[in-house]
Amino acid sequence: MRMNWKRTTCVLRRWICGILVAALFLSLPAVPAQAVSRQSAVGFYLDTVITLSAYTEDSSLLDSALLECGRYEQLLSRTVEGSDVWRINHAGGQPVQVSDAAAEVISIALEVSRLSGGAFDITVAPASVLWDFTSGAAVLPDAAKLADAAARTDYRKLVLEGSTVTLPEGMMVDLGAIAKGYIADQVKQYLIDRGVTQAILSFGGNIVTIGEKPDGSAWKVGIQDIDAPTGTSMLVLDSRDGSVVTSGIYERGFDLDGVRYHHILDPKTGWPVQNELASVTIVSGPSVWGDALATAAFILGTEEGLKLVESLEGIEAVFIQRDRTVVSSSGADPIPMP
Ligand code: ADP
Ligand code: MG
C-alpha cells in the first residue's frame, strides 16, 4: 500500500510538473519578446552633432549612451567651468589632480606630439582662442598676439605624472583635436558592454563601428568631397569594428583674399597650416589615435604624414590634396564614388 501510495504521488507530481511546464510555455507568447531592431539617437555635445545607430532591443540604451558623451564633455571641455581641462588652465602653474579619462587623453596626446615632432600640440590653445572660425566673420587675429601665443605653446612643458598635471602659467590646453576620438571609443565600449554587436556611431568627422552590418557586409564610411556640400562623399571606405576619422580645411574656417583660414594650426606660428592638403582620413582601431593622428598628419603634409602612418602598426591614411589628388597608405583601400 505504502509503495503504491508513493508511486501515485510520484506520478501525480510528474503530472503537475508537466502541466506547469506546459503552462509556462503556453504563456510565453503572451509576453511579447523584445525584437532587436535598428535604433538611432541624436545629440549635440562637444560642438558636434552625434548620431548613434545600433541594433538593440533596448530602446533607451542609445539615450543613456548619449548621456555618457555629456559626462565626458564635463571633464574634457576647455570651456566648461570646473572641467579637468578648465582647472588645468586656471591653476596658475600649480599641480592639478585630474580624472583617469583626462590623464589618459593627455598621455596619448603627448605621445602623438612626440611622434609628430610637435606638429600635434594640445597646448596650442592660446593661439586657437584668438581665432573665430565659427561666427562666419572673416577676421584675422592680430599677428603680434598670435606670435606671442605661439611662444607660449610647447607640449614639452606640460608635465603629466600619474593623474597629476602641471602646466606653466600663461599656457593653455585644448583637447579639441583628440577628445571626440576618446569619447567615441568610450561610447563604443559602453554599448559593447551592454550586448551591442552591430552599430555605427558618428561624432562629426569621427566614425566608429561595432561589428559589421546584419547582412555580414562592412559598414560603409564616406569621406567628404572637399569641394561639395556637407554630406557628399568623394571616397568610400569599408569599416568593420574600427574607426575612420577625417580632419579637413572645409570643416571650420573662412576664405579671405583667396586664402583658406581653417582650424588646424601650426603650433610653431599659431597660423592655419597652408600646405597641399584639403583633408586627412585615418583608419585605426581606437578612435582616440585616429583623431590625434588625423590632425598630426594634416600638419605634417602628405610626405611626412605618410611616413608617420607607415611607421605605425594598424594605422592607415587617405590624404586628399586641394587639387583632388588622392594619396593612400599601403593598407588603405578607398573606393571612388561613381
Ligand atoms: P574637429 O574634428 O573638431 O574638426 P580636429 O580633430 O580637426 O577637430 O582638430 C582641430 C581642433 O584641435 C581645433 O579646433 C583646435 O582646438 C585644436 N588644434 C588646432 N591645431 C592643433 C594642433 N596643431 N595640435 C593639436 N590641436 C590642435
Ligand atoms: Mg583630430
Side-chain angles (χ1 to χ4, degrees):
M1 267 301 274
R2 245 189 207 178
M3 284 290 286
N4 277 349
W5 175 238
K6 260 192 184 166
R7 204 173 292 141
T8 316
T9 350
C10 258
V11 170
L12 264 176
R13 269 203 202 130
R14 242 182 255 156
W15 267 96
I16 292 165
C17 281
I19 288 164
L20 280 177
V21 170
L24 195 68
F25 271 105
L26 284 173
S27 70
L28 270 183
V31 184
Q34 293 272 47
V36 172
S37 63
R38 187 169 175 147
Q39 315 252 1
S40 293
V42 182
F44 190 79
Y45 296 96
L46 301 130
D47 276 340
T48 307
V49 177
I50 296 173
T51 310
L52 311 179
S53 290
Y55 286 85
T56 171
E57 71 274 13
D58 181 352
S59 58
S60 65
L61 183 61
L62 295 185
D63 289 330
S64 328
L66 279 177
L67 294 181
E68 286 291 289
C69 299
R71 196 167 68 78
Y72 284 109
E73 182 178 35
Q74 294 298 310
L75 299 174
L76 305 177
S77 162
R78 180 179 61 78
T79 51
V80 169
E81 212 174 306
S83 75
D84 287 346
V85 174
W86 190 92
R87 289 189 298 111
I88 293 169
N89 292 340
H90 290 81
Q94 293 304 305
V96 175
Q97 196 70 28
V98 299
S99 61
D100 290 349
E104 195 183 342
V105 176
I106 291 169
S107 159
I108 296 170
L110 292 176
E111 184 65 30
V112 174
S113 293
R114 286 189 281 270
L115 284 169
S116 65
F120 185 84
D121 194 331
I122 54 170
T123 70
V124 80
S128 63
V129 297
L130 296 175
W131 289 94
D132 172 11
F133 295 119
T134 47
S135 75
V139 180
L140 297 180
D142 181 74
K145 280 189 185 163
L146 263 189
D148 172 65
R152 287 183 282 126
T153 299
D154 187 351
Y155 70 93
R156 288 166 298 190
K157 294 185 178 152
L158 187 163
V159 179
L160 171 72
E161 281 164 323
S163 55
T164 304
V165 177
T166 314
L167 184 73
E169 184 150 28
M171 290 181 68
M172 214 196 298
V173 164
D174 188 323
L175 301 178
I178 185 169
K180 263 185 286 169
Y182 178 82
I183 296 172
D185 290 335
Q186 303 311 306
V187 171
K188 175 175 173 168
Q189 195 56 49
Y190 179 90
L191 294 177
I192 290 172
D193 289 347
R194 284 153 185 81
V196 172
T197 54
Q198 291 157 337
I200 183 160
L201 318 172
S202 164
F203 300 72
N206 294 44
I207 309 288
V208 298
T209 57
I210 299 176
E212 50 197 14
K213 288 205 260 180
D215 67 3
S217 64
W219 297 102
K220 305 284 176 206
V221 179
I223 303 179
Q224 172 66 35
D225 189 318
I226 56 173
D227 301 309
T230 306
T232 316
S233 299
M234 181 169 157
L235 303 163
V236 178
L237 286 165
D238 278 357
S239 178
R240 285 186 166 89
D241 221 4
S243 159
V244 179
V245 180
T246 301
S247 270
I249 60 172
Y250 47 80
E251 287 168 43
R252 286 162 214 239
F254 56 82
D255 295 294
L256 184 67
D257 301 329
V259 179
R260 179 73 184 160
Y261 295 93
H262 58 85
H263 70 327
I264 305 169
L265 306 178
D266 181 345
K268 290 185 184 67
T269 64
W271 288 84
V273 174
Q274 301 298 346
N275 60 19
E276 74 291 352
L277 286 169
S279 76
V280 176
T281 300
I282 298 286
V283 179
S284 59
S287 197
V288 63
W289 283 91
D291 200 356
L293 287 170
T295 308
F298 187 98
I299 296 157
L300 290 174
T302 313
E303 213 181 305
E304 289 301 309
L306 197 58
K307 268 192 216 161
L308 171 61
V309 166
E310 295 291 10
S311 76
L312 300 170
E313 190 83 18
I315 309 282
E316 302 296 339
V318 179
F319 297 79
I320 302 182
Q321 300 180 343
R322 294 185 190 211
D323 66 2
R324 302 180 71 78
T325 304
V326 176
V327 178
S328 301
S329 64
S330 50
D333 193 15
I335 300 153
M337 286 297 282

